[in-house]
Amino acid sequence: MIAAPFHAGERAMQALGGSREQMEVAGPRVIRDHMPEQHRAFFSLLPFLVVGSLDASLQPWASVLAAPAGFMHSPDPTHLRVDALPQAGDPLAGQLAQGAPLGLLGIQPHTRRRNRMNGTVESLDGAGFMVEVQQSFGNCPRYIQAREPVLAASGGTTPPVQWLDKLDLAAHRLIGSADTLFIATAYPNEVAGGDEADASSHGVDVSHRGGRPGFVRIDGDNVLTVPDFNGNRFFNTLGNLAAHPRAGLLFVDFDSGELLHLAVTAEIVWDGPEVAAFEGAERLMRFNVTHALRRPAALPLRWGDAQLSPHLAGTGQWNTGMRALADGR
């Protein structure tokens, strides 16, 4: 157990969201400083791992590593070994160093299971790296679209990465049709200011968001708006954004393996007509894109058609009226 698993930003968001008293009791019970046996076994089953990292300018990035299942194993409850390294051009490649904070998300979409682990790189070698556990906890299965990944045959030379000054038409198409995104956020030591009461919550976190296809609205060239639905009430992501309003978004083309990494600044919209107009939204997250990186065919996984989460039945879709509200904000 971790006696005080939530930092000041998370506690403030819990208070706004009405879950602070509940989390005072539940948090220390479900957020651990080690991985239970079930989580240790789960990571070993996965052919991919979502990783959140933090660059020298304190910008979070979301990335993904992929290899045949078994490329991860836990030698003991406080460590996870990952036998994979990022490709050239992956934002993670520049951040992966001994002592670096990482957020890890193990997710098995076809069973709708996911576990999160935040920690630091304990060691690094030519084959992979070892992460020491800081926080380990499970997540509910809501909003995960059921699709099963299959490793694809190597296509030879990977196309070069592309830095974008702004979101182009191809990026709009990928984002506009997405039913899933991954988001990395952070509570860096530099932001915490050495507050020892928050010491167990420093670092990086990476999470999943899902919705009906098109749940991410594109406003202009570089602004995205995403509904935030009812979840586990921990407010890890929003708490990080309240303290450090920068995030890394990752969109995956499940047909081609293309990855689109976005560096964004974030704003949380708690109420108002836009929130009220989107069925199921408890608030909105608005992201201003500052950097974009496209990596064609970077992910050697392919998925079949998705079975949308049944929990999406109570959620809405963007429409012209909501766009008009946004234009008048």
Side-chain angles (χ1 to χ4, degrees), residues 3 25 37 52 55 58 66 68 71 84 126 131 138 154 160 179-180 192 198 202 205 224 235 254 278 302 321 328:
V25 176
E37 186 59 37
D55 71 18
L58 303 185
F71 79 101
V131 180
S154 174
D179 58 41
T180 298
D198 286 347
H202 297 176
D205 182 81
L224 309 179
F235 290 99
F254 294 107
F278 198 108
R302 301 294 181 269

Side-chain angles (χ1 to χ4, degrees), residues 2-8 11 187 192 194-202:
I2 300 175
F6 300 114
H7 61 67
R11 296 193 298 269
Y187 185 63
D195 185 352
E196 290 302 317
D198 286 347
S200 65
S201 299
H202 297 176

Side-chain angles (χ1 to χ4, degrees), residues 30-106:
V30 299
I31 298 180
R32 309 171 179 88
D33 60 1
H34 64 281
M35 290 189 293
E37 186 59 37
Q38 182 184 44
H39 292 197
R40 297 173 65 195
F42 178 68
F43 279 100
S44 70
L45 301 175
L46 305 177
F48 73 102
L49 175 70
V50 185
V51 184
S53 62
L54 191 67
D55 71 18
S57 69
L58 303 185
Q59 172 63 54
W61 292 92
S63 300
V64 60
L65 299 174
F71 79 101
M72 292 182 282
H73 73 277
S74 172
D76 60 64
T78 60
H79 292 89
L80 182 70
R81 168 71 187 188
V82 180
D83 287 316
L85 292 169
Q87 301 172 1
D90 187 333
L92 178 61
Q95 280 77 262
L96 196 59
Q98 188 169 0
L102 297 179
L104 306 182
L105 171 65

Side-chain angles (χ1 to χ4, degrees), residues 52-305:
S53 62
L54 191 67
D55 71 18
S57 69
L58 303 185
Q59 172 63 54
W61 292 92
S63 300
V64 60
L65 299 174
F71 79 101
M72 292 182 282
H73 73 277
S74 172
D76 60 64
T78 60
H79 292 89
L80 182 70
R81 168 71 187 188
V82 180
D83 287 316
L85 292 169
Q87 301 172 1
D90 187 333
L92 178 61
Q95 280 77 262
L96 196 59
Q98 188 169 0
L102 297 179
L104 306 182
L105 171 65
I107 183 168
Q108 193 175 54
H110 63 285
T111 64
R112 297 194 169 101
R113 293 178 63 192
R114 58 175 168 163
N115 291 320
R116 281 159 62 185
M117 193 267 270
N118 306 329
T120 57
V121 178
E122 184 176 86
S123 60
L124 176 70
D125 56 42
F129 55 98
M130 183 80 77
V131 180
E132 182 178 17
V133 177
Q134 183 175 328
Q135 292 187 336
S136 172
F137 53 102
N139 265 177
C140 71
R142 283 181 285 180
Y143 319 121
I144 297 176
Q145 327 305 356
R147 47 166 58 94
E148 187 166 5
V150 176
L151 279 168
S154 174
T157 304
T158 302
V161 302
Q162 304 165 16
W163 284 96
L164 307 176
D165 294 330
K166 62 180 182 179
L167 299 178
D168 60 13
L169 181 58
H172 278 230
R173 287 172 175 163
L174 176 56
I175 296 168
S177 62
D179 58 41
T180 298
L181 67 85
F182 300 100
I183 177 169
T185 56
Y187 185 63
N189 291 333
E190 294 85 345
V191 172
D195 185 352
E196 290 302 317
D198 286 347
S200 65
S201 299
H202 297 176
V204 182
D205 182 81
V206 67
S207 187
H208 155 280
R209 289 291 191 275
R212 297 176 185 271
F215 80 114
V216 181
R217 190 180 74 199
I218 305 172
D219 301 316
D221 289 330
N222 288 304
V223 178
L224 309 179
T225 302
V226 183
D228 193 55
F229 306 127
N230 181 273
N232 59 20
R233 319 298 288 175
F234 290 178
F235 290 99
N236 304 115
T237 296
L238 297 190
N240 287 343
L241 292 177
H244 184 60
R246 300 169 73 180
L249 307 184
L250 176 65
F251 291 90
V252 179
D253 186 322
F254 294 107
D255 294 324
S256 72
E258 178 176 294
L259 300 177
L260 182 66
H261 305 259
L262 305 180
V264 304
T265 57
E267 170 193 1
I268 304 167
V269 182
W270 277 91
D271 51 33
E274 272 190 286
V275 179
F278 198 108
E279 183 183 2
E282 295 192 339
R283 61 202 67 81
L284 305 175
M285 295 181 290
R286 184 161 287 131
F287 302 115
N288 185 69
V289 179
T290 58
H291 298 89
L293 173 64
R294 178 186 292 120
R295 298 172 57 217
L299 186 63
L301 295 172
R302 301 294 181 269
W303 282 261
D305 294 336

